[in-house]
């Protein structure tokens, strides 16, 4: 009876993982198709925990004899899936953040070397996601050839891109310390824009009680800052107009 219970329990786990699939979602940004991403994986993680505990219990049973090799094999498979999924979600999170910065933005021109490196990462990650979208079975996707090694390398490469980006932002903050008062995303929105007016929404954070600047546009579409405006609407003209260059 005990052996039959182990045999049936093992069959159930095998059936579960032969049928468990990732929820692969279309990913788009600003109306543009950017490939695929993994959807929520809470249920997969819960299944991993539950089944790993069941296998551990089977392995500890004195009746496991005829099934020991199979039980240990599945313990390794589920442990591998857990490891792969953990790294995969880290890579996806980093990729989604940096993709919005390096793909199609002006920041590519500011950091051309990092942009080239990110393009290679982007290509590799999209290949993984395209392959996964075709099968979606968790067991197959996580045990694909060199999947764990590839994801670990992508994670390390994304970390390097993030560090280069952070160093770049720090250099801008050191050049203009008022940038310390705004977040990385807000600073990137300024540095990645060619419009002088992009600073307007951030002025109140960088300067005490200064809500905005008053710009005027010249005949050649050049912007000049004429005055600063307080939160109460008071206006203070500059002694000299300031060309918005950079």
């Amino acid at each position: 009876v005990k052996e039959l219970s182990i045999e049936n329990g093992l069959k159930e786990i095998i059936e579960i993982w032969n049928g468990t699939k990732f929820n692969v979602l279309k990913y788009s940004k600003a109306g543009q198709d950017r490939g695929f991403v993994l959807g929520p994986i809470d249920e997969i993680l819960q299944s991993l925990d539950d089944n790993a505990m069941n296998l551990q219990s089977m392995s500890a049973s004195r009746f496991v004899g005829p099934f020991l090799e199979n039980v240990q094999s599945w313990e390794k498979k589920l442990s591998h899936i857990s490891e792969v999924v953990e790294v995969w979600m880290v890579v996806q999170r980093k990729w989604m953040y940096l993709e919005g910065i390096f793909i199609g933005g002006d920041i590519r021109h500011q950091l051309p070397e990092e942009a080239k490196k990110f393009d290679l990462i982007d290509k590799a990650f999209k290949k993984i996601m395209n392959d996964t979208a075709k099968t979606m079975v968790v067991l197959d996707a996580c045990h694909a050839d060199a999947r764990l090694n590839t994801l670990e390398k992508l994670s390390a490469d994304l970390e390097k891109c993030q560090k280069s980006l952070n160093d770049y932002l720090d250099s801008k903050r050191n050049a203009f310390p008022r940038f310390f008062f705004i977040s990385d995303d807000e600073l990137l929105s300024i540095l990645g824009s060619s419009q002088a007016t992009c600073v307007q929404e951030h002025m109140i954070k960088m300067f005490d009680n200064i809500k905005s600047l008053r710009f005027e546009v010249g005949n050649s579409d050049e912007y000049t800052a004429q005055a600063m405006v307080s939160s109460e609407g008071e206006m203070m003209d500059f002694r000299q107009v300031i060309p918005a260059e950079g």
Side-chain angles (χ1 to χ4, degrees):
V1 176
K2 293 285 186 182
E3 288 182 356
L4 183 61
S5 173
I6 291 173
E7 184 179 10
N8 289 338
L10 190 56
K11 278 182 182 176
E12 186 182 341
I13 287 171
I14 293 170
E15 283 176 15
I16 287 171
W17 288 101
N18 281 337
T20 299
K21 294 183 178 182
F22 280 122
N23 182 18
V24 179
L25 307 173
K26 274 277 190 183
Y27 179 61
S28 59
K29 212 163 191 179
Q32 289 186 322
D33 180 17
R34 301 288 177 91
F36 298 99
V37 292
L38 296 183
I41 58 165
D42 298 354
E43 289 183 16
I44 292 171
L45 295 178
Q46 187 61 54
S47 267
L48 278 170
D49 286 345
D50 293 345
N51 294 158
M53 285 180 66
N54 290 341
L55 287 167
Q56 198 172 14
S57 178
M58 290 177 200
S59 186
S61 171
R62 62 193 176 92
F63 300 100
V64 74
F67 315 105
L68 181 60
E69 191 176 330
N70 217 356
V71 167
Q72 289 177 337
S73 170
W74 274 93
E75 279 185 309
K76 286 179 183 175
K77 285 177 183 177
L78 295 195
S79 175
H80 183 76
I81 290 172
S82 181
E83 197 175 354
V84 169
V85 166
E86 185 180 350
V87 180
W88 199 326
M89 294 310 287
V90 169
V91 168
Q92 178 169 293
R93 190 167 58 250
K94 289 177 182 175
W95 173 80
M96 287 174 77
Y97 175 67
L98 292 173
E99 191 263 357
I101 294 165
F102 284 113
I103 301 295
D106 287 349
I107 214 76
R108 287 183 68 85
H109 306 303
Q110 322 256 359
L111 295 168
E113 287 305 311
E114 280 64 35
K116 285 179 188 174
K117 290 174 187 173
F118 184 80
D119 287 345
L120 295 174
I121 295 168
D122 185 58
K123 185 178 178 182
F125 182 71
K126 282 180 176 174
K127 184 183 184 307
I128 288 173
M129 291 310 306
N130 286 336
D131 291 345
T132 305
K134 291 172 188 172
T135 63
M136 294 196 285
V137 176
V138 174
L139 185 65
D140 296 339
C142 291
H143 285 85
D145 189 38
R147 180 57 42 90
L148 180 58
N149 289 341
T150 303
L151 286 168
E152 285 176 336
K153 185 178 185 309
L154 288 178
S155 181
D157 290 344
L158 283 164
E159 197 62 45
K160 288 175 187 173
C161 282
Q162 180 70 62
K163 186 180 183 308
S164 296
L165 181 64
N166 290 343
D167 291 344
Y168 171 71
L169 296 180
D170 284 345
S171 72
K172 296 301 179 183
R173 286 184 169 116
N174 289 329
F176 186 65
R178 292 280 174 175
F179 283 151
F180 280 106
F181 292 109
I182 59 176
S183 70
D184 286 353
D185 288 344
E186 289 168 332
L187 180 51
L188 282 166
S189 73
I190 293 173
L191 298 174
S193 173
S194 56
Q195 296 294 318
T197 52
C198 70
V199 300
Q200 295 287 47
E201 62 182 295
H202 310 297
M203 289 297 294
I204 193 71
K205 288 186 178 179
M206 293 190 288
F207 297 93
D208 190 27
N209 206 38
I210 297 177
K211 186 180 179 183
S212 62
L213 297 174
R214 193 187 84 228
F215 286 104
E216 287 191 8
V217 187
N219 295 330
S220 304
D221 290 335
E222 75 281 6
Y223 280 78
T224 54
Q226 307 279 327
M228 52 188 175
V229 184
S230 74
S231 298
E232 294 77 26
E234 296 172 313
M235 192 172 297
M236 182 179 290
D237 291 328
F238 294 135
R239 291 178 181 174
Q240 285 184 307
V241 297
I242 302 165
E245 299 173 339

